[in-house]
Amino acid sequence: MPRLPRRPVPRLLLLLGALVPVSGCGRRLGEPPTPGNGGAAAALRVLVADVRHDDLVAFWKHGLPPATYAAVERDWQRRQQQVATERARAGFHRFMDGFDRPRAAATLAAQWQPTLVRLDRQYSDQLPVLIAIGGGMVRQLASHALAMDSAHSRSLEPLLAPWVTWAEQAPWLDLDRSRQTAGIAVETVRSLHLTTLSQVSALDFTAAMAQASRLLAGAKRCLVLYGLSLDEVLDSVQVSLASRKGDLAWVRIDYLLQGQPRQAVLRMQRVDGRWYPMALPRLAGTIDPPDWADWARFAPDRAGVAARTGDPGAVPVQ
């Protein structure tokens, strides 16, 4: 599958990496969320319910102190205004038009196929090693983005290790799964119902996170195809208080990843009587509006399929 744009994907990886350890038991139907003043473990269970139900609006409102959330909203709006250029507008329309065309999923799968076949021929035996190296790069990226010191950076290794192990074994080069992934991608993008860049630029942080919730749901569906049900992982989570010292608390998260017990510890801080994960403000600050000029290169493109394959017959017909 082709390499995705440089900036949005690392942000998404960081987001998912933060969401999974702090998520788990689902919200019961009709059960209202508990405010963050019910203790550190209770506050984390609220975030658990938010992510299990793909509700990133509630997740950020529950996960950030009100003053921090307001600052994130202001910073998001400033960056939204900066990306509304003619180049971005053209890229947005190429991206959205590509996903809106007939047989967009078949076109997208056809774009991916040559890359997957080439990787399978040249690197299938080396892919686990390359993924392991990529896991180290993700750790470094997370350490840099979250401004972690060396001690906290090293603590990411045992947290990421089981996820890297799953990624090493996942059937990334399977063509049938790639076709199903393309279908989910097209369906997810269409569900956003975004038609103009002006419409997108008008989205404040809260509205953008409502759209991001749809992307999270689509990403979950794709990962199931490769052997990872995030919802099953989240449903297995058990949250308990490990220790507390004044306005700081360490919350233990026990969960199952592909049937194997795993554990993580999250540091939380009490602000104005409510508990919040300490990493979330920094993480929220790394989430940028999409760079549509970059994303446009990865939309379904029938002309691009024909150019790369040299075979007009490889292009899906309408």
Side-chain angles (χ1 to χ4, degrees):
M1 196 172 299
R3 186 174 62 87
L4 295 176
R6 180 178 60 86
R7 293 181 64 187
V9 169
R11 301 294 192 263
L12 179 60
L13 289 175
L14 288 177
L15 178 60
L16 290 176
L19 297 186
V20 172
V22 302
S23 312
C25 311
R27 180 186 298 153
R28 292 184 179 88
L29 186 63
E31 177 183 336
T34 305
N37 59 358
L44 198 56
R45 292 189 189 103
V46 172
L47 300 181
V48 156
D50 294 337
V51 181
R52 178 60 179 84
H53 289 80
D54 307 325
D55 191 348
L56 294 183
V57 174
F59 176 83
W60 289 114
K61 287 186 175 180
H62 292 149
L64 297 173
T68 303
Y69 188 89
V72 168
E73 281 191 309
R74 290 193 298 270
D75 192 44
W76 172 271
Q77 192 62 33
R78 175 183 59 81
R79 286 179 287 177
Q80 275 279 56
Q81 295 170 355
Q82 292 175 345
V83 300
T85 63
E86 285 302 321
R87 183 169 176 264
R89 184 172 290 104
F92 171 82
H93 285 294
R94 285 199 302 274
F95 184 83
M96 289 300 177
D97 289 348
F99 277 93
D100 196 44
R101 289 183 184 129
R103 295 190 58 78
T107 301
L108 191 59
Q111 285 178 217
W112 292 346
Q113 182 172 338
T115 300
L116 293 174
V117 171
R118 177 175 57 82
L119 290 174
D120 189 35
R121 289 173 179 170
Q122 297 180 0
Y123 301 108
S124 59
D125 294 338
Q126 305 172 43
L127 194 59
V129 176
L130 297 175
I131 290 175
I133 295 172
M137 295 174 64
V138 169
R139 180 179 65 80
Q140 293 176 3
L141 175 67
S143 300
H144 176 73
L146 301 178
M148 292 180 169
D149 57 30
S150 57
H152 286 105
S153 178
R154 287 193 296 271
S155 70
L156 282 176
E157 293 184 16
L159 177 62
L160 290 175
W163 299 90
V164 173
T165 298
W166 157 73
E168 291 172 355
Q169 300 170 352
W172 299 115
L173 305 181
D174 183 85
L175 293 179
D176 184 59
R177 287 180 172 86
S178 74
R179 284 188 285 271
Q180 295 179 66
T181 300
I184 294 172
V186 170
E187 181 182 335
T188 301
V189 171
R190 288 178 176 177
S191 75
L192 301 178
H193 300 296
L194 298 174
T195 57
T196 67
L197 186 62
S198 297
Q199 181 185 7
V200 176
S201 300
L203 298 176
D204 61 15
F205 182 75
T206 300
M209 290 304 102
Q211 297 286 23
S213 297
R214 297 177 183 270
L215 300 181
L216 175 60
K220 284 183 179 180
R221 292 174 60 196
C222 291
L223 289 175
V224 168
L225 298 175
Y226 296 92
L228 177 63
S229 171
L230 287 181
D231 283 343
E232 288 183 2
V233 174
L234 303 179
D235 285 339
S236 73
V237 169
Q238 299 294 322
V239 180
S240 58
L241 182 66
S243 64
R244 176 182 165 185
K245 184 178 181 181
D247 288 335
L248 294 178
W250 286 261
V251 177
R252 171 172 164 169
I253 306 118
D254 291 281
Y255 65 98
L256 296 176
L257 178 60
Q258 294 189 308
Q260 298 299 313
R262 305 296 181 184
Q263 183 187 116
V265 176
L266 190 69
R267 185 168 59 166
M268 302 186 69
Q269 184 176 27
R270 186 168 56 180
V271 179
D272 296 332
R274 298 178 182 271
W275 290 93
Y276 305 95
M278 293 185 67
L280 286 190
R282 287 175 177 170
L283 181 64
T286 69
I287 303 173
D288 289 332
D291 184 341
W292 293 109
D294 275 348
W295 278 101
R297 294 179 292 148
F298 302 96
D301 180 6
R302 297 178 69 235
V305 173
R308 279 192 294 273
T309 62
D311 177 11
V315 181
V317 296
Q318 296 187 8

